[in-house]
Amino acid sequence: MTDEATEAPQAAPAHDAGRMERIVNLAKRRGLVFQSSEIYGGLSSCWDYGPVGVELKRNVKDAWWREMVWSRGDIVGLDCSILMHPRVWEASGHVAGFTDPLVDCKKCKVRFRADHLAEARCGLTPTRRAGDCGGELTEARQFNLMFKTFMGPVEEDANVVFMRPETAQGMFVNFANVLDTARRKLPFGIAQTGKSFRNEITPGNFLFRTREFEQMEMEFFVKPGEDMKWYEYWKQERYEWYLRLGIKPENLRLREHASDELAHYAKGCADVEYRFPFGWSELEGIANRADFDLKQHTQFSGKDLSYFDEEARERYVPYVIEPAAGADRATLAFLVDAYDEDEVEGETRAVLRLHPRLAPVKAAVFPLMRKAGQPEKAHEILTRLRPHFPVQYDQAGSIGRRYRRQDEIGTPWGVTVDHQTMEDGTVTVRDRDKTTQERIHESELLPELLRRIAGA
Ligand code: ATP
């Protein structure tokens, strides 16, 4: 099933290709990300998050939900089904227009996106450009990116349904439901995280472009006329979210779309971009979609999706500002940004300098020796920490080696039980980034680590 041969390799600046490869290797070696269905040769463009990676991605989504829903009074959450009424995708424009232009190289049989030819590489000689093998490129034809399936046992056209290509439509079609039940006044937002599917022509660059991925989207409904103010607000908020979680400012930028890049209904659109080893690329788009979506669904469903503004005593269709992010792309950006190599005690170490909120494991507990009651003491400490956050226990190998294993998965603190612990109840806490150690009493350990995670 793997269709690697038909996919165009993505260009990567030579000096950074090695770095990306080392990150992908570390991800596999330490249980962050595995190729999907690996024992069957892999299914291209699909990835599985391992025991460590699942915690990282979950932390990314939790940080988004905390910021977008819990910490504000004006946004509520939603969890919609992936399969929706086919008319939804007619109204949204996806049936007619969710297409990419596709060209084939007649010689090397590789498929390219006609609008990405500049970055595409020849299938026979990846150091060269598309078509450089002498093969003729076909005329571009439009290819719809939606996955189709059938609802019920009969595979006929009347039963076709689509795997959603975005989560956003769930928020629009539930606009009236939320308005009625959550007793909301404008401005307010609806947020959702969940899987989306796109039959991408050229997936690649690890988690960056896949055919099954998770989105984190929010639709913020506002009064027409106040939309540009909120558009500016959300651009700034979303840009700063990545910085607050530790992305280096020199690797992040906001890029406003030129007017010829905008959808016909959009009043503005900007991307938060990250400097990946393969170049600046979109992490999230923030768009002022005006009243396009609610009007389309009003027209196609025949249901009124307008809003009565009690204060202004007028009825109108709200405008919407949409910050649309990808959970997998964000996870990849946090991973790439955190990856570092330095020298500790004469050895090169790989370390993930992840923000403590995002770190998959918050603390590791080690007995210095496998005797003198130290393993038992370490387990006692572990049992106390376990209900609060993910922790690991390790007694194998030298203490340096154990620290290094935790550095590779970004564990911020290493707690060691040693001879002195047995005498005065203090443990050493080693900091992942500074590699320094301090002694604190074991009774202080949990509150201290909780304080550090919350305050970081
Ligand atoms: P691109 O131009 O990279 O195809 P897009 O502009 O089509 O992305 P949107 O439709 O705005 O993307 O989707 C919002 C977010 O969903 C993107 O910013 C990205 O983080 C994520 N996303 C979209 N497509 C994919 C994909 N194929 N794989 C992983 N994440 C994706």
Side-chain angles (χ1 to χ4, degrees):
M1 278 297 289
T2 172
D3 51 357
E4 210 80 72
T6 62
E7 282 162 13
Q10 300 288 300
H15 62 283
D16 273 347
R19 177 175 158 81
M20 193 64 195
E21 211 174 288
R22 289 199 296 284
I23 294 169
V24 175
N25 287 342
L26 178 120
K28 162 100 202 270
R29 188 172 76 246
R30 302 315 314 271
L32 281 110
V33 181
F34 308 126
Q35 171 80 63
S36 160
S37 321
E38 199 185 283
I39 60 168
Y40 288 98
L43 181 66
S44 135
S45 89
C46 295
W47 300 95
D48 298 342
Y49 289 84
V52 175
V54 70
E55 298 291 343
L56 175 60
K57 183 172 162 188
R58 179 186 281 258
N59 291 341
V60 170
K61 288 189 289 174
D62 283 353
W64 185 88
W65 194 264
R66 174 196 287 262
E67 178 99 357
M68 301 298 271
V69 183
W70 290 0
S71 67
R72 315 177 53 104
D74 56 358
I75 300 181
V76 291
L78 194 71
D79 184 6
C80 300
S81 61
I82 286 171
L83 303 176
M84 301 177 78
H85 196 291
R87 293 275 285 165
V88 168
W89 307 111
E90 286 173 38
S92 67
H94 283 83
V95 170
F98 194 55
T99 54
D100 278 338
L102 172 78
V103 295
D104 292 294
C105 172
K106 289 187 180 167
K107 185 166 177 192
C108 66
K109 309 289 179 215
V110 169
R111 299 222 147 112
F112 306 101
R113 257 176 75 169
D115 55 339
H116 283 184
L117 277 182
E119 311 103 74
R121 288 289 177 267
C122 170
L124 294 177
T125 330
T127 50
R128 305 175 76 188
R129 298 202 170 274
D132 279 358
C133 60
E136 191 191 334
L137 298 181
T138 59
E139 284 285 301
R141 58 185 194 281
Q142 292 299 324
F143 171 73
N144 196 298
L145 302 185
M146 281 199 294
F147 278 95
K148 278 181 193 169
T149 187
F150 298 94
M151 189 161 248
V154 187
E155 293 193 5
E156 59 188 21
D157 283 356
N159 294 339
V160 164
V161 288
F162 300 99
M163 312 280 280
R164 69 178 174 198
E166 60 172 37
T167 61
Q169 298 305 320
M171 274 82 94
F172 298 129
V173 302
N174 278 295
F175 172 73
N177 281 338
V178 173
L179 199 60
D180 292 347
T181 56
R183 300 174 53 239
R184 292 284 134 184
K185 281 203 177 109
L186 253 49
F188 79 93
I190 311 178
Q192 146 161 249
T193 66
K195 287 265 168 128
S196 292
F197 301 82
R198 295 183 189 178
N199 204 356
E200 298 276 4
I201 297 169
T202 50
N205 286 327
F206 197 30
L207 304 174
F208 182 80
R209 189 179 301 285
T210 55
R211 292 187 173 120
E212 172 179 344
F213 54 96
E214 215 162 334
Q215 291 188 302
M216 310 186 289
E217 296 195 293
M218 194 274 290
E219 308 301 324
F220 199 72
F221 300 97
V222 303
K223 184 176 181 179
E226 294 182 0
D227 50 306
M228 284 316 277
K229 177 186 83 182
W230 283 108
Y231 171 60
E232 294 301 326
Y233 169 85
W234 280 113
K235 276 194 309 193
Q236 207 50 36
E237 272 298 301
R238 294 307 306 147
Y239 173 73
E240 285 169 13
W241 182 75
Y242 295 93
L243 297 179
R244 282 199 288 277
L245 286 171
I247 294 281
K248 297 178 194 79
E250 64 271 25
N251 292 336
L252 198 71
R253 71 180 185 194
L254 253 178
R255 187 183 69 82
E256 195 78 39
H257 285 204
S259 53
D260 62 354
E261 281 181 273
L262 291 180
H264 65 92
Y265 48 81
K267 283 183 68 184
C269 187
D271 289 343
V272 178
E273 294 187 335
Y274 180 73
R275 182 159 46 172
F276 284 99
F278 45 84
W280 286 100
S281 307
E282 173 183 335
L283 274 185
E284 167 162 359
I286 299 103
N288 179 348
R289 301 178 60 89
D291 54 9
F292 176 76
D293 308 277
L294 290 180
K295 278 201 169 147
Q296 286 292 106
H297 286 299
T298 300
Q299 191 193 327
F300 278 72
S301 69
K303 298 284 184 308
D304 180 17
L305 297 177
S306 64
Y307 170 81
F308 185 70
D309 186 329
E310 304 267 0
E311 257 164 49
R313 310 295 303 162
E314 57 175 323
R315 183 168 282 283
Y316 49 79
V317 177
Y319 274 26
V320 67
I321 312 301
E322 174 191 82
D328 309 271
R329 266 190 207 178
T331 301
L332 180 61
F334 287 120
L335 187 62
V336 166
D337 211 69
Y339 182 84
D340 197 9
E341 288 160 3
D342 63 4
E343 202 162 295
V344 176
E345 290 158 13
E347 259 183 56
T348 305
R349 71 162 179 167
V351 54
L352 295 183
R353 300 190 193 281
L354 287 165
H355 188 288
R357 279 246 175 90
L358 300 183
V361 175
K362 307 301 182 202
V365 184
F366 316 115
L368 188 62
M369 294 189 300
R370 285 198 225 178
K371 55 183 186 186
Q374 291 179 16
E376 291 76 11
K377 187 74 195 163
H379 273 108
E380 227 178 79
I381 292 173
L382 208 65
T383 308
R384 242 178 289 143
L385 301 182
R386 211 162 245 155
H388 302 274
F389 41 72
V391 281
Q392 280 191 0
Y393 176 81
D394 190 357
Q395 61 171 31
S398 73
I399 193 74
R401 215 160 258 287
R402 285 183 264 170
Y403 285 150
R404 228 61 88 233
R405 277 199 284 268
Q406 295 300 326
D407 291 341
E408 286 197 335
I409 60 168
T411 308
W413 301 292
V415 177
T416 304
V417 169
D418 58 11
H419 175 68
Q420 197 176 327
T421 313
M422 308 313 290
E423 285 178 356
D424 65 6
T426 62
V427 291
T428 64
V429 178
R430 184 250 194 190
D431 182 283
R432 172 197 70 200
D433 297 331
K434 295 190 225 119
T435 70
T436 51
Q437 294 182 32
E438 57 186 307
R439 288 203 87 90
I440 69 172
H441 196 271
E442 59 164 308
S443 61
E444 264 304 299
L445 185 63
L446 177 61
E448 175 59 23
L449 295 188
L450 285 174
R451 245 193 317 275
R452 288 187 191 183
I453 296 166

